[in-house]
C-alpha cells in the first residue's frame, strides 16, 4: 500500500502522515515498502493548496417606507466545502434616498470539528440593497353645506381614510379658502407629512386625495309690496312701497327694489 506524507516547503522537513488540509505551499511524497519491508519514497513534489473560492451574496429586495425588515438579514453562500458551515452578520446602512445598502459585517466558517477555517477560503462578496417604496395613504375631505353669508368657507375638514402613517410621523392638512358664491365648490386638501424631528417626509408617501364638495345654498329672502285702492278718478293708481318680510341680507349688502305696475281703469293688477 501507498501512503502520503507532507512537510513545510522550507527548512529541514518534518514529515507528517496524510495530506495537508490548510492552504499553503507543501512538499509531498509517497511512501511504500520494498520487498525487504524497508520504506521506499517517491520523488518529492512541491504542491500549492489554493484557498477555496467562496461567493457570498447579500440579500436584496424592497420595502415600504417605515417597514424595513426587522428580521435578521441572511446571506447566501456558494461553494462551501462539504461539512463546513458559515455564519455571517449583515449590516444595513440607510442612504439619503431612503434605500438601504447591505454590507457584510462579519463572516466565520467552521469545519465539522468546530475549527475556524475562514482563512481557507478566497471570499468574494456581492453587496445587496433594499429599495424603499412609497407608503400609500388616502386622505378624504368631508362634504359641507352652508347658506350664503358673504364669507369664504374656512372650516373644511379632512382625515386619513386608508393606510397608516409611519410611527412618529404626523399628517398636516391645509385648505385654500373656498369661494363664497352660491353653488358647488371643490374642497381639495393640501397634505404634508413630517416626522418626529420636524423633517418633511412627504416624498416618502404616495398620497391619494379624495376631494369634498362645499355646497353654498342661496340665501332666502322674502320681499312683499303693499296693496292700494281708490275710487276711479281717471288717473293711474301706483304704489311703490315694499318691505322684507323674512330673511335678511348679509352685513355690508343692501337691498334695492323697484316696484312696477299701475291701474287706471276699474279693476286690479299686480
Amino acid at each position: 500500500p501507498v501512503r502520503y506524507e507532507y512537510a513545510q516547503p522550507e527548512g529541514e522537513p518534518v514529515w507528517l502522515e496524510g495530506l495537508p488540509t490548510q492552504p499553503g505551499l507543501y512538499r509531498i511524497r509517497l511512501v511504500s515498502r520494498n520487498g525487504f519491508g524497508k520504506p521506499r519514497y517517491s520523488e518529492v513534489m512541491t504542491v500549492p493548496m489554493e484557498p477555496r473560492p467562496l461567493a457570498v451574496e447579500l440579500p436584496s429586495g424592497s420595502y415600504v417606507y417605515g417597514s424595513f425588515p426587522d428580521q435578521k438579514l441572511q446571506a447566501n453562500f456558494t461553494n462551501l466545502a462539504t461539512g463546513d458551515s458559515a455564519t455571517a452578520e449583515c449590516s444595513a446602512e440607510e442612504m439619503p434616498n431612503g434605500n438601504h445598502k447591505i454590507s457584510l459585517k462579519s463572516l466565520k466558517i467552521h469545519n465539522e470539528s468546530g475549527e475556524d477555517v475562514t482563512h481557507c477560503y478566497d471570499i468574494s462578496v456581492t453587496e445587496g440593497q433594499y429599495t424603499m417604496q412609497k407608503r400609500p395613504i388616502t386622505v378624504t375631505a368631508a362634504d359641507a353645506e352652508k347658506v350664503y353669508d358673504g364669507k369664504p368657507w374656512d372650516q373644511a375638514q379632512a382625515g386619513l381614510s386608508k393606510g397608516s402613517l409611519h410611527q412618529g410621523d404626523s399628517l398636516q392638512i391645509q385648505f385654500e379658502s373656498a369661494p363664497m358664491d352660491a353653488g358647488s365648490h371643490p374642497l381639495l386638501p393640501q397634505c404634508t407629512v413630517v416626522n418626529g424631528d420636524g423633517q418633511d417626509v412627504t416624498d416618502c408617501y404616495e398620497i391619494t386625495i379624495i376631494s369634498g364638495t362645499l355646497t353654498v345654498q342661496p340665501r332666502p329672502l322674502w320681499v312683499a309690496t303693499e296693496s292700494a285702492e281708490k275710487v276711479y278718478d281717471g288717473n293711474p293708481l301706483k304704489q311703490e312701497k315694499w318691505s322684507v318680510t323674512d330673511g335678511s341680507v348679509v352685513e355690508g349688502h343692501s337691498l334695492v327694489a323697484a316696484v312696477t305696475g299701475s291701474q287706471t281703469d276699474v279693476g286690479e293688477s299686480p
Side-chain angles (χ1 to χ4, degrees):
V2 176
R3 59 184 174 86
Y4 290 94
E5 288 183 346
Y6 70 95
Q8 296 297 319
E10 299 177 351
E12 187 68 26
V14 177
W15 293 99
L16 302 174
E17 188 172 348
L19 287 171
T21 59
Q22 306 289 328
L25 188 64
Y26 299 92
R27 286 179 283 187
I28 296 179
R29 68 184 183 183
L30 298 175
V31 184
S32 63
R33 293 190 179 277
N34 61 21
F36 298 100
K38 293 184 178 181
R40 182 168 57 183
Y41 301 100
S42 71
E43 184 178 340
V44 175
M45 299 172 288
T46 300
V47 179
M49 180 185 287
E50 302 291 345
R52 186 181 184 92
L54 179 68
V56 181
E57 184 179 1
L58 302 185
S60 294
S62 63
Y63 73 100
V64 175
Y65 166 71
S67 60
F68 186 75
D70 293 329
Q71 70 271 21
K72 187 176 180 181
L73 298 171
Q74 301 291 337
N76 291 323
F77 307 99
T78 303
N79 202 33
L80 271 175
T82 303
D84 287 358
S85 60
T87 304
E89 183 179 356
C90 303
S91 63
E93 178 186 358
E94 186 173 4
M95 311 302 289
N97 59 3
N99 297 339
H100 284 71
K101 183 174 76 171
I102 311 302
S103 302
L104 185 63
K105 186 176 181 181
S106 64
L107 173 64
K108 292 292 183 182
I109 305 174
H110 295 86
N111 61 19
E112 291 179 310
S113 301
E115 297 174 313
D116 189 336
V117 291
T118 308
H119 63 283
C120 297
Y121 285 86
D122 181 12
I123 300 169
S124 61
V125 179
T126 302
E127 291 188 337
Q129 177 172 282
Y130 272 79
T131 304
M132 186 190 73
Q133 306 292 332
K134 292 187 176 185
R135 192 180 186 97
I137 60 173
T138 300
V139 177
T140 300
D143 293 335
E145 184 176 343
K146 73 165 188 173
V147 175
Y148 172 74
D149 59 4
K151 299 177 182 178
W153 177 253
D154 57 1
Q155 300 179 39
Q157 296 181 345
L160 194 64
S161 58
K162 188 176 181 181
S164 62
L165 297 174
H166 175 44
Q167 185 177 3
D169 290 355
S170 59
L171 177 65
Q172 300 177 352
I173 301 174
Q174 293 181 333
F175 286 87
E176 292 185 357
S177 296
M180 63 180 71
D181 298 339
S184 296
H185 310 285
L187 296 173
L188 190 64
Q190 297 175 345
C191 301
T192 304
V193 183
V194 297
N195 62 18
D197 297 326
Q199 297 173 324
D200 189 329
V201 292
T202 308
D203 288 343
C204 297
Y205 287 84
E206 182 180 349
I207 304 176
T208 299
I209 295 178
I210 300 176
S211 62
T213 300
L214 171 65
T215 302
V216 181
Q217 300 289 358
R219 191 177 186 89
L221 189 65
W222 285 264
V223 180
T225 56
E226 296 184 13
S227 297
E229 66 178 58
K230 72 172 183 174
V231 175
Y232 172 76
D233 60 5
N235 296 316
L237 174 61
K238 295 182 179 181
Q239 196 291 112
E240 297 181 349
K241 294 181 179 180
W242 58 271
S243 62
V244 175
T245 60
D246 199 359
S248 64
V249 296
V250 300
E251 183 179 356
H253 289 190
S254 59
L255 176 62
V256 178
V259 180
T260 61
S262 65
Q263 182 72 27
T264 302
D265 299 335
V266 174
E268 62 181 30
S269 60

